[in-house]
Amino acid sequence: SPVPGFAEQLEGVNKGQEMEFTLSFPQDYSEPQLTGKEGLFKVKVLEVKEKRLPSLDDEFAKGEGFASLEEMHQRVKENLLARAQAEARSRLEERVVEVVVEGAKVEPPPTVVEREAEHLFEEQGRILQSSRLTMEEYLRHINKSEEELRKELQPLARKRVLRSFVLAKAAEEEKVDVSPEEIDAEVQRLVSEAGEEGKRVREALTSQSGRLSLRQVMMTRKTVERLVALATAPEAQAPAGEGKEEEGHGN
């Protein structure tokens, strides 16, 4: 649909029909020279198709691997609920970490931030490479220099470094640790989930660098879980001022 309203103009048309209509290009249109202008569209309908869905019954459910439509409904409901709960948990974890980081009174070393910014720049390059796009082509597309892009990455780099510093301090304060047995169990879980790639995953995770990397991921996860537990504990939910009144009676 080239512009808003285009699809609506085609409602009810028949195969072979030709038509003309005028629509305005929106202000945020991808081609600046057309924003806000009127466009005349000439359309010929080559074909009209209709999507026909199968009947939602037991036969359909069996074809999808379920004993009945009721069982299929129940599984879909459970999956949707699990996904909603996971998303809600993820949002809660992110917000708790944000609050903790915002309250931190520490400034990460510029050299560490610079190193993280360089890492982000290289990461961007790898993503572009996988899309068969060079950094030079990307910079021309966004109309920025390499120096400007590196400068734009500085705030994100600082945020990531600060987050890492704060979580490391929180882990220290809360005595969060990951035992070798926990790492072994996580390796086994990841290998089981990898299926045919299990052997390759095991080789990667059982190397010294692999275990260290996995331990760091697990440390971060446990630390965030601990912070969420503290933030959602009943005593943390007490209304503002609760408990101060009793102190006042004693004065």
Side-chain angles (χ1 to χ4, degrees), residues 100-152:
V100 174
V101 171
E102 287 169 2
K105 294 178 173 60
V106 60
E107 185 61 34
T111 54
V112 179
V113 175
E114 192 64 39
R115 192 159 58 243
E116 180 63 23
E118 181 63 26
H119 174 72
L120 288 172
F121 183 80
E122 293 173 354
E123 191 176 86
Q124 180 72 56
R126 287 191 293 272
I127 294 172
L128 292 172
Q129 191 174 24
S130 67
S131 303
R132 297 182 179 181
L133 189 68
T134 66
M135 179 60 75
E136 292 73 19
E137 291 170 333
Y138 174 68
L139 290 172
R140 282 199 302 271
H141 179 70
I142 63 175
N143 197 28
K144 286 185 174 63
S145 66
E146 182 177 316
E147 183 180 353
E148 288 174 324
L149 179 59
R150 288 178 182 276
K151 188 174 181 180
E152 285 184 357

Side-chain angles (χ1 to χ4, degrees), residues 154-180:
Q154 288 287 328
L156 176 58
R158 180 188 176 278
K159 183 177 180 180
R160 284 174 61 159
V161 170
L162 182 58
R163 177 189 175 105
S164 179
F165 274 31
V166 170
L167 288 177
K169 185 62 177 177
E172 179 185 335
E173 292 287 336
E174 294 298 320
K175 297 179 173 55
V176 177
D177 196 14
V178 177
S179 68

Side-chain angles (χ1 to χ4, degrees), residues 79-95:
N79 290 343
L80 289 174
L81 179 60
R83 186 187 307 169
Q85 290 174 335
E87 290 174 354
R89 175 73 183 188
S90 180
R91 288 194 297 270
L92 173 62
E93 290 177 351
E94 188 60 33
R95 182 55 189 150

